[in-house]
Amino acid sequence: LSKPVNGFIGKWESTVCLVPKERYGIRKRYRQARQKAMGSVVEVLASKNNWHAISPGKVPSKCMNKWYAAALFNANQTNNKQKAKELLLQHIRGGGKLNTGAVDPHEILKGKIPVVNEAQWDPLVEKYVNLARSSKTFRPFVPCLDVSGSMEWDGGLPLEVCIAFGILLSEVNEKMGFAIGGRAITFSEKPQWFELKGTLSRRIEQIRNSDGVGTSTQFHLAWERILDAVRTLSEQGVNLDAYELPGL
């Protein structure tokens, strides 16, 4: 009995207070604890058609983004799926948050359900705003997005990542109260300034449908557009000394 128990059983045992005689039944107790924990796993509940028993706020971010929301909004609905869908919408409309810890910005933008995308996006923005406010080195900047043809390799993944971070960082700037907040510029053959307003879907379309997507890179033209904006803001008395220009 003095020999330590290895593996997961040993880890579980270390969290509870056991007298020596109780160690005889540790495998049974561990199995019961594991079965109880597995009973609340999203995939397990979904496979048993217990969709209505899933709490939206506890669904892992990747799971929500990849298949959970899509499963609730597809044409093949059961009563339990319909209840789960209503529960999810109530959770979102009531201001409840969805998990975003493991999902990347471009993955949210690619989500199939706009209302869920928005609900995952807002906590992500809040996270980066809090990081910016707590940072001693964060400075306001202009998101400069490369939407040229070279970004369309690998199925367009680099372009998706670029657009997602551009929208995210422009919103962080806006919530931080910076003069160029909510704006981004593309550098391509036809660089453009964008006032990124409206729904997440609308902001994506603004950039994706612009004339410069898929063309060559003309970075110096983007600089000219930025200098024009700087002149205008300077004339309005805005101090831009702290601004930086990173490329995305």
Side-chain angles (χ1 to χ4, degrees):
L1 291 179
S2 60
K3 184 178 180 180
V5 182
N6 297 322
F8 290 109
I9 295 178
K11 293 179 181 179
W12 175 81
E13 182 193 19
S14 65
T15 65
V16 296
C17 181
L18 296 177
V19 296
K21 66 178 182 179
E22 290 180 313
R23 295 182 63 155
Y24 287 110
I26 190 172
R27 290 186 180 276
K28 179 180 178 180
R29 296 182 64 180
Y30 170 75
R31 183 171 63 253
Q32 292 172 341
R34 183 175 180 275
Q35 289 173 345
K36 182 178 179 180
M38 287 294 293
S40 62
V41 173
V42 173
E43 289 82 355
V44 174
L45 291 171
S47 67
K48 295 180 179 180
N49 196 31
N50 290 330
W51 295 85
H52 60 293
I54 299 172
S55 174
K58 294 183 178 180
V59 177
S61 57
K62 287 278 191 181
C63 175
M64 177 66 75
N65 180 261
K66 294 293 184 182
W67 66 269
Y68 178 77
L72 299 186
F73 285 80
N74 66 18
N76 300 320
Q77 290 290 323
T78 63
N79 288 335
N80 286 345
K81 275 190 178 182
Q82 185 62 35
K83 291 178 181 178
K85 177 182 176 181
E86 293 171 359
L87 185 64
L88 174 60
L89 293 175
Q90 288 175 5
H91 179 81
I92 293 172
R93 290 165 183 163
K97 295 183 178 180
L98 299 181
N99 290 320
T100 59
V103 68
D104 293 320
H106 72 282
E107 293 176 320
I108 296 178
L109 266 57
K110 290 175 65 177
K112 303 298 183 183
I113 313 300
V115 65
V116 175
N117 298 346
E118 296 277 358
Q120 281 197 310
W121 185 260
D122 291 341
L124 188 68
V125 173
E126 182 181 342
K127 170 186 172 182
Y128 278 89
V129 169
N130 291 335
L131 287 173
R133 286 174 176 161
S134 62
S135 172
K136 296 180 180 179
T137 59
F138 182 83
R139 300 175 66 186
F141 57 88
V142 177
C144 194
L145 317 184
D146 183 354
V147 296
S148 62
S150 63
M151 299 292 281
E152 294 183 332
W153 64 277
D154 195 19
L157 179 60
L159 182 61
E160 292 170 357
V161 173
C162 176
I163 292 175
F165 271 102
I167 294 173
L168 173 64
L169 297 176
S170 70
E171 191 168 348
V172 170
N173 272 336
E174 184 176 24
K175 290 186 178 296
M176 294 288 286
F178 299 143
I180 309 185
R183 301 181 69 184
I185 190 170
T186 57
F187 66 94
S188 60
E189 188 174 318
K190 299 178 181 179
Q192 291 179 256
W193 274 108
F194 292 93
E195 292 277 355
L196 297 171
K197 305 292 184 182
T199 65
L200 191 57
S201 299
R202 169 61 181 155
R203 284 176 278 170
I204 298 169
E205 290 173 0
Q206 277 184 269
I207 300 175
R208 273 208 166 275
N209 296 336
S210 63
D211 293 337
V213 173
T215 60
S216 61
T217 302
Q218 296 289 345
F219 193 64
H220 69 282
L221 291 180
W223 271 106
E224 290 180 6
R225 303 289 187 276
I226 293 169
L227 290 175
D228 291 340
V230 168
R231 293 188 190 99
T232 300
L233 290 170
S234 296
E235 291 170 359
Q236 297 172 356
V238 177
N239 182 10
L240 299 174
D241 291 343
Y243 277 73
E244 291 186 356
L245 179 65
L248 291 178

